[in-house]
Amino acid sequence: MTVEANMPVDGVEATVRRWRAQRPDLDVSPMSVIGWLTTASNEIERRLAAVLSEYGLQSWEFDVLATLRTDGEPYEMCPGTIGGHLRVSNSAMTNRIKRLEESGLVERHFSPENRRIVIIRLTERGIEVTDRAMDSYLTEGKSALEALSPSETDQLCGLLRKLGTATTSEAE
C-alpha cells in the first residue's frame, strides 16, 4: 500500500513512513490498514461511550441490555446465552448481570421448567433506558459514518465482515 502524495502526514502514515525508512527490508503495508482501523475504532468508541454515558451506561452494559432487548418479549435469556452472543465468559457475565441488577435494569428469576436455570430479564426501566439509549446511539453512529456515502458504507461493512470472518476462523 502506498501513501498518496496529497495525503496529509498524520500519526498513522508518519509511523508507516518512519518504519519504511528504518527497516526497508520489512513489508510494513499492514500498518496502514491496522492503524486506520484502530484509529477509526477508537474514535467511534469514544463518541458512542459519550452518548451512552448520558444514560448512565457503559458500553458493556448497553451490549447486555441491547442483547436482551433484541430477543423480543419477554426480553429474557440465560446468562450463558447472553455471554455467547457477546463472546464473554460466564464469570464476566455474572459480574455484569450483578451490576445491572443493582442498577435496576435487569432482574433474575428461576426458570419455571427447571429451577436450576437462572433467567435474566429486562425490567421496565431497563427497556425504557435501552430504547432511549439506542435512539441516541444510532444517531451518533450515523454521524460518525457521515464521511462515507451509503455505497461506501456497504462496501466497508462487506470488507470488514470478510476480514473479521477470516480472522476469526484462522484463530480457531
Side-chain angles (χ1 to χ4, degrees):
M1 177 176 295
T2 59
V3 178
E4 295 181 26
N6 61 355
M7 182 178 273
V9 176
D10 57 48
V12 173
E13 300 307 334
T15 299
V16 171
R17 287 181 182 172
R18 288 194 312 271
W19 272 106
R20 279 192 179 123
Q22 293 300 310
R23 293 288 310 272
D25 58 310
L26 294 178
D27 174 12
V28 296
S29 60
M31 290 181 77
S32 287
V33 174
I34 294 167
W36 282 115
L37 280 172
T38 302
T39 299
S41 176
N42 289 343
E43 176 59 16
I44 291 169
E45 283 181 35
R46 182 194 63 74
R47 290 174 69 163
L48 295 175
V51 166
L52 293 175
S53 73
E54 294 173 16
Y55 299 92
L57 297 173
Q58 295 181 32
S59 62
W60 65 264
E61 291 171 308
F62 181 69
D63 290 344
V64 173
L65 298 173
T67 298
L68 286 165
R69 180 67 174 90
T70 58
D71 200 47
E73 287 190 49
Y75 312 117
E76 62 182 24
M77 290 181 183
C78 296
T81 303
I82 302 168
H85 284 293
L86 299 176
R87 297 181 180 203
V88 174
S89 72
N90 286 338
S91 61
M93 279 309 306
T94 299
N95 292 327
R96 291 176 182 201
I97 290 165
K98 180 181 178 197
R99 289 187 50 193
L100 288 168
E101 189 176 32
E102 290 168 356
S103 299
L105 299 172
V106 302
E107 59 190 13
R108 300 175 204 234
H109 66 92
F110 291 104
S111 166
E113 292 85 34
N114 184 342
R115 299 216 18 100
R116 293 177 296 169
I117 298 174
V118 174
I119 306 291
I120 308 305
R121 178 186 298 147
L122 280 176
T123 62
E124 286 299 319
R125 180 170 174 263
I127 294 167
E128 187 262 328
V129 168
T130 303
D131 285 351
R132 285 189 15 242
M134 180 56 81
D135 289 342
S136 298
Y137 184 93
L138 293 175
T139 299
E140 187 62 31
K142 185 175 183 177
S143 175
L145 298 174
E146 69 185 2
L148 301 175
S149 71
S151 65
E152 288 171 327
T153 302
D154 289 344
Q155 182 181 14
L156 178 60
C157 189
L159 291 170
L160 291 172
R161 183 181 302 112
K162 182 177 181 180
L163 182 62
T165 303
T167 305
T168 301
S169 60
E170 287 175 9
E172 293 173 351

